Amino acid sequence: MEKEIHLKKPNIVKYEQAYAVIGGQGVINIYDNEGNLVPNTTKRKFGKKEYIHHAEKKFFSEEEYTYVNEEVVYIGFMRGHWGHFMVDSSVRFWALERPECKGKRILLNIEGMNALYEKIFEYMGIEKSQIIVMSKTTKFKAVYVPELSYCPEQYVSKEYLYPFEKIANQINLQTPSFDKIYLSRLHFTKGKKELGEKDIQDIFLKNGYHVLYPEELSLEEQVWYYKNCKTMVTTNGTIAHNVLFCNAGTELIILNRFCEEENMHQKAINAIKNIKVNYIDAYHPHVEGTKNDSLMWKTKGLISFCNEKNYKMPKQLWGRKLYLRILFKLPYLYKFVK
C-alpha cells in the first residue's frame, strides 16, 4: 500500500557538550554528552535503509577529540549532485535564519560541487568564514541540530521550501524569460535514457515552448527561467524537482518516459508546493522500460493532451518509428545518433 506523506513542523534541538565525528563516507555523526548518537546524523542519503542503524553508545577520551568552546549549527552532508542537493542536502537549511541559529558557524562536509554550494550559502546569508568543514573529531560547547524538513515517504514541511524561495527571491536578471519552458535531457547524455525524446521535445518546441538544457545554465539562469515560467514540461525524475524554484500556480507537466510508481520525492514536492501537476505517459506501451532503459513515444495519452491544447503535432513517419525500435534493441548504435 502506498504511504501517505504527512505534514510536520520541524524543531531545532540543542545538544550541550556534543561531539561531531566523521563517520562512513565522510558523513558527520553527532553524539550527545552521554555518547548517544543523535537521530538522522548518520545519513548520506535520506530514506535509504542502508544508512539507518542504531549505534551503541560511544565513549570519548580527551585524547580523541579537540574541544571548541563554541555553539554551532549542524547542517550535515552535502552531496555532489544537483538532484540530491534538492532532496537530501537542503533539508536543514530552513533553520539558518531562526534566532537560535542565525549568525552561528555551520557544521558540514561537502562531497562535490563546492563552488555551487558556496554560492548557495551566499544566497542563504552564510559567509564562507562561517562554514566549518569537518576533518577530525571535535567536541563543541553546543550543537544545534535542526530536524529534517523533509524525510522521504514519511513527512514534508512548509519549511522545506524555504531555501528555494529565498534563492529565487534574490535572483533578478536582465534576461528575457519565457512563459512556457521544456527542460530537456538531450544534451546531458546519449542512450536509452533519452531515446525518442527529440520527437517529443519537437512537439513542444513547435507549440511555443522554449527548450532549456539545465546542465548548460548557471544557477542564476536556471532559477530565473523557472521562477518566471507559467508552464514547465519535464520528463519524470530529478529534473522535475526544479519546480521547487517556481512560483505558486505554475503548471508542471511531467512526461513519464518509463513506467513507475510516482517518484517519492516528486510526490512530496507536489504535496507541499502550490502547483498544478499533470502526468502524461510518453513511453512505448510494449517496452518494459526503466530510468536507464526507456523509449519515449507519441502515445494516445500524449496525443489526447495535445488535442485538448490544440497543439500541432509533427507527423512521425513509420521509418522513424522503426529506427527508434531498432536502436532500442541495439544500444551500441547510439554513438551514431544525432
Side-chain angles (χ1 to χ4, degrees):
M1 182 176 178
E2 189 177 4
K3 292 183 179 179
E4 291 185 7
I5 301 292
H6 299 285
L7 295 181
K8 173 183 174 180
K9 188 172 182 61
N11 297 310
I12 300 170
V13 183
K14 181 180 179 181
Y15 294 90
E16 303 274 4
Q17 302 296 318
Y19 301 87
V21 180
I22 301 295
Q25 300 182 35
V27 178
I28 304 171
N29 305 155
I30 303 297
Y31 290 83
D32 67 16
N33 191 35
E34 297 182 353
N36 299 302
L37 180 66
V38 174
N40 289 322
T41 63
T42 63
K43 303 291 191 298
R44 168 183 169 84
K45 183 177 180 182
F46 293 99
K48 283 288 184 180
K49 290 182 180 179
E50 59 263 37
Y51 301 115
I52 299 174
H53 65 274
H54 302 284
E56 295 179 359
K57 272 193 174 184
K58 192 173 179 65
F59 299 96
F60 300 88
S61 65
E62 292 186 2
E63 294 77 23
E64 289 183 79
Y65 62 85
T66 300
Y67 182 73
V68 176
N69 189 31
E70 181 181 358
E71 295 186 347
V72 298
V73 181
Y74 176 81
I75 295 298
F77 190 74
M78 306 290 100
R79 300 195 72 204
H81 181 280
W82 176 252
H84 287 293
F85 151 63
M86 291 188 283
V87 299
D88 289 319
S89 304
S90 65
V91 293
R92 300 186 202 269
F93 287 8
W94 66 271
L96 292 176
E97 280 200 348
R98 295 300 168 98
E100 60 266 54
C101 298
K102 195 169 178 62
K104 291 182 171 62
R105 293 205 292 165
I106 62 175
L107 192 61
L108 55 83
N109 259 354
I110 302 177
E111 176 188 58
M113 304 194 314
N114 294 52
L116 178 62
Y117 275 116
E118 286 176 8
K119 185 180 288 187
I120 287 168
F121 282 120
E122 255 182 63
Y123 283 115
M124 299 298 299
I126 301 294
E127 298 178 3
K128 197 171 180 180
S129 59
Q130 288 179 258
I131 299 173
I132 303 173
V133 178
M134 282 286 297
S135 59
K136 57 185 177 182
T137 300
T138 306
K139 184 178 183 180
F140 291 96
K141 179 182 177 182
V143 178
Y144 290 82
V145 180
E147 290 182 334
L148 308 180
S149 60
Y150 163 51
C151 190
E153 295 190 297
Q154 294 185 40
Y155 66 84
V156 66
S157 69
K158 291 182 179 179
E159 284 79 1
Y160 174 53
L161 299 176
Y162 166 74
F164 308 102
E165 292 176 345
K166 184 173 178 66
I167 292 170
N169 287 338
Q170 295 177 74
I171 292 177
N172 292 288
L173 304 182
Q174 300 301 311
T175 302
S177 58
F178 309 96
D179 285 349
K180 301 191 295 184
I181 61 175
Y182 179 101
L183 305 191
S184 175
R185 294 172 52 91
L186 285 177
H187 290 185
F188 187 60
T189 58
K190 285 188 177 181
K192 288 190 177 182
K193 284 186 177 183
E194 286 73 39
L195 188 59
E197 183 176 357
K198 185 180 184 304
D199 300 65
I200 309 302
Q201 177 178 302
D202 283 348
I203 296 172
F204 291 92
L205 183 62
K206 291 181 184 297
N207 287 280
Y209 286 76
H210 189 85
V211 176
L212 299 174
Y213 304 95
E215 71 281 0
E216 297 175 2
L217 302 173
S218 67
L219 171 66
E220 288 78 9
E221 288 170 326
Q222 286 193 65
V223 174
W224 174 253
Y225 290 128
Y226 301 158
K227 79 171 191 174
N228 284 299
C229 76
K230 294 179 180 176
T231 301
M232 175 190 284
V233 181
T234 78
T235 53
N236 53 336
T238 298
I239 196 167
H241 302 345
N242 287 306
V243 77
L244 282 164
F245 292 105
C246 291
N247 288 324
T250 300
E251 180 185 23
L252 175 63
I253 299 169
I254 298 179
L255 303 173
N256 294 323
R257 58 189 172 89
F258 55 92
C259 180
E260 69 162 359
E261 292 183 2
E262 187 178 2
N263 180 289
M264 64 176 178
H265 299 311
Q266 195 63 49
K267 180 180 178 181
I269 292 168
N270 296 348
I272 201 66
K273 189 85 179 165
N274 184 15
I275 54 174
K276 305 168 187 174
V277 187
N278 188 2
Y279 285 89
I280 302 171
D281 288 342
Y283 56 88
H284 194 287
H286 301 301
V287 170
E288 294 183 1
T290 67
K291 64 181 180 179
N292 295 313
D293 182 15
S294 59
L295 174 58
M296 294 191 71
W297 204 256
K298 291 181 183 176
T299 61
K300 291 180 179 178
L302 181 58
I303 292 170
S304 176
F305 167 82
C306 290
N307 288 338
E308 289 175 10
K309 295 275 190 178
N310 292 317
Y311 285 175
K312 300 174 183 176
M313 289 195 71
K315 188 175 181 181
Q316 189 179 49
L317 301 176
W318 70 268
R320 172 69 179 172
K321 295 180 180 179
L322 179 60
Y323 171 71
L324 290 173
R325 289 302 303 273
I326 292 173
L327 284 178
F328 185 80
K329 296 293 185 183
L330 302 173
Y332 61 84
L333 293 177
Y334 289 153
K335 61 184 177 180
F336 301 112
V337 178
K338 299 296 183 184

